[in-house]
């Protein structure tokens, strides 16, 4: 059996954006009024120390996440290190914290939507507190629905929102500082108030936890995960301190404390109404983005608890149609709606969320120490807290979390205690007899090679397989290519990808999509049987990922593949993709030979082959593919190189036959084909395309090279090859050489950051 891999789709920038998107949310737009009321201008110190405490937690989490990159984040690490008793406390605490945070974000959304935009849009004005609550309820329900149905575009929208917010905040800080803010009394309420305010504002620092919950999906985690987490803490910390400096230096503390849209009111003073409107729109986007990320994270914590049998698995089942954990998402949404509807204050929502995450991070620091001392074989983090900082970081982080908890509001402490006690009661009443025993053994993610190949082949062909009816033919063609280049050490890598929507954790899909996983295993088992028949070295890889095209490209890179061969149904789309959402990115970006095959009738897949002989850069690749297939088919196979010319002599007096033969001779030379391996044919016609299609009907297999190079959105191989593939009922092989398009500036930056 081939073990499933979880596709690592997230580089540094993607992971950093995920964390930043949650941290630059409602906190930076709503908390200035609450923080200013509690601690005055000194609240910027509260934000700074909140960031410092989060930085300590991020460092500890980075080691844990690279040592045990599984869905569930802090819950998973605490449960593995300290056992299900503390796992139950942290699991329920994280879920509660995320639901309270979601409600906090939604109230912030209502404040900026109605009192905020109401200044500019008449019908939004005058709704009062009831209107804010209704707006929050409607948006919370909408986000729950979006995640229930699994809208894939939410990920791309998140990136746009984050970039927009960063730009707005930088503009706010730049103009605000130039305007010359004046701080009056810096610390009017004393340092105890500053310490207590850390607990109030800490909700805005929980975003980096989202990165840890996605650890299983991050590329090069030893570098990208800690770097993304630390950057996702430092960036907003500096922004928060700057926003509080500008805010408390622009408006009086009394005015700022009474504002429902503090950042917009501050912006009005030095950016005018246009600047204020921009901040209001940014706040609306930020609150929606933060709430969406929290709902996703809550569902993943639920799954991790269910996986360990601390939580009933019924809650985590995946929807048959949408493939999302719809019950967990619905439960999170319902609790969020209840918190909004019963009128829990926005400050209390923020503080309870902070309280639960401070409890969580205190135990995370303990988990690092326990795992370091126990030193289990399976715990081998690729990032370790540097020797000079260990055990200073976890000890100092634990003490700091406890100190902040003790300074918080007694009502908040009481609510947090109730949630914690609930986790304890749940453990004894439900989980103690069901929960898996504490295990420090990591679960292997990388695939095991089959006995048919050792992974050391000098020539490697990657073949994505998805259809049992075409699997044998694709593997046969891949084997022909492998044999032609290195019959002794060549190997074929058969890959199958299960695509999972953003709302479902990758491992969760493996748990609940038993039928899909079984089909995947059957495909790969069949591939091994076929490989035995063909006498070709084969390895199989079963992958679960967000995007099949990206996952295939990752396999090509990891395997250092020489050739990728894909099947195609023969249909083109003129909308988002030309040949298909999986095929287009692979053919467009694979750094190796790429072949696309549309299989014809079952009994007509080899012998008589035609190669479209042209002057294009990829015609020799098509000729080599035909030669490989013919060699594998034996003496009965024939290869015809066809060139089509328009009638009449050219300006040099050459006839169509002479022009066509010159093209064929040049192609043979470029492809390195022996004269004994092919026949020449020159066809003459006014309509080149029609002539080619007519000739194609006389052969079993048509091989054609791409007529274009570089990435062009309107085409993958070019219009002529794709037309042949679409309109003929024969087997069509479209081929190109390695993609050598110049690297874009964006790709260069991403590669530099991820190297």
């Amino acid at each position: 059996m081939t073990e499933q891999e979880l596709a690592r789709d997230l580089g540094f920038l993607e992971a950093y954006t995920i964390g930043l998107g949650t941290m630059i949310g409602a906190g930076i737009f709503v908390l200035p009024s609450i923080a200013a009321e509690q601690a005055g201008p000194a609240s910027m110190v509260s934000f700074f120390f909140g960031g410092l405490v989060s930085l300590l937690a991020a460092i500890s989490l980075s080691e844990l996440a690279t040592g045990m990159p599984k869905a569930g984040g802090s819950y998973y690490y605490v449960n593995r290190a300290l056992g299900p008793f503390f796992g139950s406390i942290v699991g329920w605490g994280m879920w509660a914290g995320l639901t309270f945070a979601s409600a906090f974000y939604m109230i912030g959304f209502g404040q900026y939507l109605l009192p905020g935009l109401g200044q500019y849009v008449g019908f939004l004005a005058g709704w009062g507190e009831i209107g804010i609550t209704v707006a929050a309820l409607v948006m919370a329900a909408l986000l729950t629905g979006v995640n229930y149905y699994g809208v894939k575009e939410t990920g791309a929208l998140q990136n746009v929102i984050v970039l927009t917010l960063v730009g707005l905040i930088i503009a706010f800080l730049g103009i605000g500082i130039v305007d010359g803010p004046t701080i009056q009394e810096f610390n009017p309420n004393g340092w105890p108030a500053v310490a207590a305010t850390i607990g109030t504002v800490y909700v805005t620092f929980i975003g980096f936890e989202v990165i840890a919950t996605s650890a299983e999906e991050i590329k090069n985690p030893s570098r990208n995960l800690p770097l993304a987490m630390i950057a996702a803490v430092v960036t907003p910390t500096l922004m928060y301190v700057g926003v509080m400096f500008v805010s408390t230096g622009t408006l009086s503390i009394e005015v700022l404390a009474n504002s429902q849209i503090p950042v917009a009111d501050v912006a009005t003073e030095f950016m005018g109404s246009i600047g204020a409107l921009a901040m209001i729109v940014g706040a609306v986007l930020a609150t929606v983005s933060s709430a969406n990320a929290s709902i996703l994270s809550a569902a993943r914590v639920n799954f991790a608890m269910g996986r360990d049998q601390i939580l009933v698995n019924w809650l985590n089942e995946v929807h048959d149609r949408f493939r999302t954990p719809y019950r967990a998402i619905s439960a999170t949404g319902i609790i969020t709606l209840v918190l909004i509807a019963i009128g829990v204050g926005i400050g209390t929502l923020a503080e309870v969320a902070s309280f639960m995450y401070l409890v969580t991070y205190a135990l995370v620091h303990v988990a690092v120490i326990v795992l370091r001392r126990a030193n289990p074989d399976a715990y081998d983090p690729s990032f370790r807290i540097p020797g000079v900082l260990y055990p200073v970081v976890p000890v100092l982080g634990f003490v700091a979390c406890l100190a902040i908890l003790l300074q918080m509001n007694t009502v908040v402490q009481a609510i947090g205690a109730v949630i914690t006690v609930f986790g304890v009661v749940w453990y004894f009443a439900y989980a103690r007899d069901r929960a898996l025993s504490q295990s420090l053994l990591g679960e292997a993610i990388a695939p095991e090679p089959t006995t048919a190949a050792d992974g050391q082949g000098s020539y490697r062909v990657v073949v994505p397989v998805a259809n049992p009816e075409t699997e044998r033919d694709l593997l046969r063609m891949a084997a022909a290519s492998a044999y032609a280049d290195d019959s002794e050490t060549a190997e074929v890598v058969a890959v199958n990808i299960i695509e999972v929507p953003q709302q479902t954790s990758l491992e969760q899909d493996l748990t609940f999509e038993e039928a899909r996983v079984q089909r995947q295993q059957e495909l790969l088992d069949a591939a091994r049987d076929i490989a035995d028949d063909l006498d070709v070295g084969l390895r199989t890889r079963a992958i679960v990922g967000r995007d099949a095209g990206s996952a295939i490209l990752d396999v090509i890179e990891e395997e250092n593949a020489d050739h990728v061969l894909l099947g195609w149904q023969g249909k083109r789309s003129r909308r988002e993709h030309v040949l298909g959402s999986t095929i287009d990115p692979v053919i467009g970006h694979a750094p190796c030979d790429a072949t696309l095959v549309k299989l014809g009738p079952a009994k007509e897949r080899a012998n008589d082959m035609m190669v479209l002989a042209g002057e294009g850069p990829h015609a020799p690749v098509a000729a080599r593919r035909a030669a490989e297939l013919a060699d594998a088919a034996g003496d009965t196979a024939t290869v015809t190189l066809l060139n089509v010319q328009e009638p009449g002599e050219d300006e040099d007096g050459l006839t169509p036959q002479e022009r066509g033969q010159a093209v064929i001779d040049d192609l043979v030379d470029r492809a390195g084909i022996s004269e004994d391996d092919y026949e020449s044919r020159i066809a003459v016609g006014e309509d080149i395309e029609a002539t080619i299609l007519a000739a194609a009907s006389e052969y079993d297999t048509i091989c054609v090279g791409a007529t274009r190079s570089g990435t062009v959105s309107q085409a993958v191989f070019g219009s002529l090859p794709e037309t042949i593939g679409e309109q003929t009922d024969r087997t069509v092989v479209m081929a190109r050489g390695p993609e050598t398009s110049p690297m874009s500036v964006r790709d260069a930056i991403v590669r530099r950051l991820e190297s």
Side-chain angles (χ1 to χ4, degrees):
M1 178 175 176
T2 301
E3 185 177 348
Q4 277 77 15
E5 304 172 61
L6 304 180
R8 294 189 177 275
D9 300 317
L10 307 177
F12 164 73
L13 290 177
E14 290 87 353
Y16 172 57
T17 302
I18 288 174
L20 200 61
T22 304
M23 298 179 73
I24 301 182
I28 204 163
F29 291 98
V30 178
L31 286 174
S33 59
I34 300 172
E37 182 178 19
Q38 292 182 356
S43 55
M44 68 182 76
V45 177
S46 302
F47 276 100
F48 176 80
F49 278 101
L52 185 60
V53 172
S54 295
L55 184 60
L56 296 173
I59 294 172
S60 288
L61 269 174
S62 294
E63 175 170 327
L64 293 171
T66 59
M68 296 180 289
K70 304 288 284 184
S74 294
Y75 156 76
Y76 181 82
Y77 314 136
V78 170
N79 189 62
R80 285 294 176 272
L82 307 180
F85 174 81
F86 289 102
S88 179
I89 293 173
V90 169
W92 284 109
M94 287 179 67
W95 191 21
L98 288 165
T99 55
F100 273 80
S102 297
F104 166 68
Y105 299 141
M106 289 293 86
I107 294 294
F109 166 81
Q111 290 182 349
Y112 272 90
L113 181 70
L114 297 181
L117 283 180
Q119 302 174 35
Y120 304 89
V121 182
F123 75 89
L124 294 177
W127 289 88
E129 293 298 326
I130 293 179
I132 292 173
T133 301
V134 171
L137 288 170
V138 170
M139 180 50 69
L142 180 61
L143 286 179
T144 302
V146 165
N147 285 287
Y148 183 103
Y149 287 103
V151 178
K152 293 180 69 174
E153 286 73 16
T154 54
L157 179 61
Q158 177 96 345
N159 293 339
V160 174
I161 291 174
V162 171
L163 293 175
T164 301
L165 294 177
V166 170
L168 286 174
I169 294 167
I170 290 175
F172 175 89
L173 293 175
I175 299 173
I177 292 173
V178 170
D179 189 63
T182 303
I183 302 296
Q184 301 300 321
E185 185 179 0
F186 181 74
N187 189 10
N189 300 326
W191 291 110
V194 173
T197 305
I198 299 175
T200 302
V201 303
Y202 197 77
V203 65
T204 202
F205 288 101
I206 67 176
F208 65 90
E209 170 70 24
V210 179
I211 301 175
T213 63
S214 302
E216 60 185 355
E217 303 168 44
I218 295 176
K219 299 177 183 178
N220 189 12
S222 62
R223 176 187 183 276
N224 289 335
L225 192 144
L227 187 60
M229 293 182 75
I230 291 170
V233 171
V234 172
T235 303
T237 298
L238 297 176
M239 289 183 173
Y240 295 152
V241 172
V243 167
M244 289 310 301
F245 172 70
V246 171
S247 298
T248 56
T250 301
L251 296 179
S252 68
I253 298 302
E254 182 179 0
V255 171
L256 189 61
N258 291 325
S259 173
Q260 290 182 310
I261 50 172
V263 175
D265 286 341
V266 172
T268 302
E269 297 297 315
F270 52 80
M271 298 174 71
S273 59
I274 298 298
L277 177 61
M279 302 309 294
I280 290 170
V281 172
V284 170
L285 293 175
T287 49
V288 171
S289 171
S290 295
N292 184 66
S294 295
I295 292 171
L296 284 177
S297 295
R300 294 187 178 190
V301 172
N302 290 161
F303 162 66
M305 294 173 70
R307 177 183 56 199
D308 297 328
Q309 298 181 24
I310 288 178
L311 184 64
V312 57
N313 237 2
W314 174 88
L315 194 63
N316 295 308
E317 287 188 8
V318 174
H319 196 283
D320 291 339
R321 177 182 175 190
F322 306 121
R323 306 207 316 275
T324 60
Y326 64 105
R327 289 173 178 162
I329 289 171
S330 298
T332 301
I334 290 170
I335 295 174
T336 300
L337 291 170
V338 169
L339 291 172
I340 296 170
I342 64 178
V344 179
I346 188 169
T348 301
L349 291 171
E351 290 187 76
V352 172
S354 298
F355 185 96
M356 299 318 304
Y357 267 85
L358 286 165
V359 170
T360 296
Y361 293 146
L363 292 173
V364 161
H365 290 300
V366 176
V368 172
I369 296 175
V370 169
L371 284 165
R372 279 284 192 102
R373 291 179 64 85
N375 193 30
D377 292 337
Y379 182 68
D380 185 22
S382 52
F383 169 82
R384 287 181 178 267
I385 300 173
V388 70
L389 297 178
Y390 180 85
V392 175
V393 165
V395 170
L396 185 59
F398 175 77
V399 172
C401 289
L402 289 186
I404 298 171
L405 288 171
L406 294 174
Q407 292 293 323
M408 296 184 75
N409 183 292
T410 54
V411 173
V412 172
Q413 290 175 334
I415 297 174
V418 168
I419 296 172
T420 302
V421 170
F422 177 83
V424 173
V425 172
W426 179 268
Y427 169 76
F428 285 107
Y430 176 86
R432 181 171 59 174
D433 296 330
R434 296 179 174 86
L436 300 176
S437 300
Q438 177 180 339
S439 174
L440 298 178
L441 297 176
E443 300 176 4
I445 293 177
E448 295 181 2
T450 66
T451 56
D454 61 7
Q456 301 301 316
S458 61
Y459 186 87
R460 194 168 291 116
V461 185
V462 170
V463 184
V465 293
N467 185 350
E469 295 182 3
T470 62
E471 183 177 24
R472 171 173 288 275
D473 291 284
L474 294 177
L475 289 172
R476 176 179 59 80
M477 292 181 172
S481 178
Y483 281 133
D485 284 88
D486 191 337
S487 60
E488 293 185 0
T489 61
E491 65 178 354
V492 175
V493 180
V495 183
N496 180 264
I497 295 101
I498 294 177
E499 281 192 307
V500 179
Q502 182 67 32
Q503 287 76 8
T504 307
S505 90
L506 298 182
E507 192 172 347
Q508 183 168 13
D509 194 82
L510 284 180
T511 302
F512 289 98
E513 295 284 350
E514 295 181 3
R516 297 173 72 209
V517 172
Q518 180 63 31
R519 286 196 297 272
Q520 183 181 61
Q521 290 299 330
E522 290 172 356
L523 267 172
L524 296 178
D525 288 343
R528 282 188 285 272
D529 293 338
I530 294 168
D532 289 339
D533 294 341
L534 297 174
D535 192 26
V536 61
L538 178 85
R539 286 186 296 117
T540 58
R541 296 185 63 170
I543 297 175
V544 182
R546 305 290 178 207
D547 181 88
S550 296
I552 293 170
L553 286 171
D554 287 341
V555 170
I556 292 170
E557 181 179 354
E558 292 164 9
E559 298 285 356
N560 193 24
D562 300 278
H563 183 190
V564 58
L565 188 147
L566 303 95
W568 179 47
Q569 293 182 340
K571 298 178 181 179
R572 287 188 294 174
S573 169
R574 293 301 183 189
R575 301 180 64 187
E576 265 190 81
H577 305 98
V578 180
L579 304 177
S581 59
T582 299
I583 295 173
D584 282 11
V586 176
I587 297 298
H589 299 285
C592 62
D593 281 2
T595 302
L596 195 63
V597 179
K598 189 203 78 171
L599 293 168
K603 295 181 180 180
E604 299 177 0
R605 290 182 179 170
N607 297 334
D608 296 328
M609 282 170 277
M610 181 193 88
V611 178
L612 186 58
E615 299 175 342
H618 301 292
V621 184
R624 286 195 292 271
R625 292 290 93 85
E628 292 166 356
L629 293 174
D631 185 57
D635 296 336
T636 60
T638 63
V639 176
T640 300
L641 303 184
L642 171 74
N643 180 262
V644 179
Q645 294 287 332
E646 294 179 346
E649 295 182 355
D650 62 11
E651 58 185 17
D652 295 325
L654 296 177
T655 65
Q657 285 73 20
E658 291 172 331
R659 295 196 304 269
Q661 190 60 51
V663 172
I664 291 175
D665 291 343
D666 178 66
L667 173 62
V668 169
D669 184 58
R670 289 191 290 155
I673 300 175
S674 170
E675 292 184 1
D676 298 330
D677 293 338
Y678 72 93
E679 297 177 1
S680 297
R681 176 180 175 183
I682 294 95
V684 180
E686 295 283 356
D687 188 329
I688 301 293
E689 185 174 291
T691 304
I692 292 172
L693 290 173
S697 64
E698 303 174 23
Y699 298 89
D700 300 331
T701 302
I702 296 91
C703 298
V704 56
T707 57
R708 49 158 292 279
S709 295
T711 303
V712 179
S713 61
Q714 289 77 18
V716 177
F717 280 101
S719 60
L720 180 58
E722 290 158 15
T723 298
I724 294 172
E726 185 177 31
Q727 295 190 13
T728 183
D729 62 352
R730 307 302 187 184
T731 293
V732 178
V733 176
M734 294 188 282
R736 71 151 178 80
E739 176 58 55
T740 56
S741 303
M743 187 183 300
S744 68
V745 173
R746 179 186 180 280
D747 289 343
I749 293 174
V750 170
R751 180 169 294 186
R752 173 62 64 182
L753 288 171
E754 294 181 351
S755 63

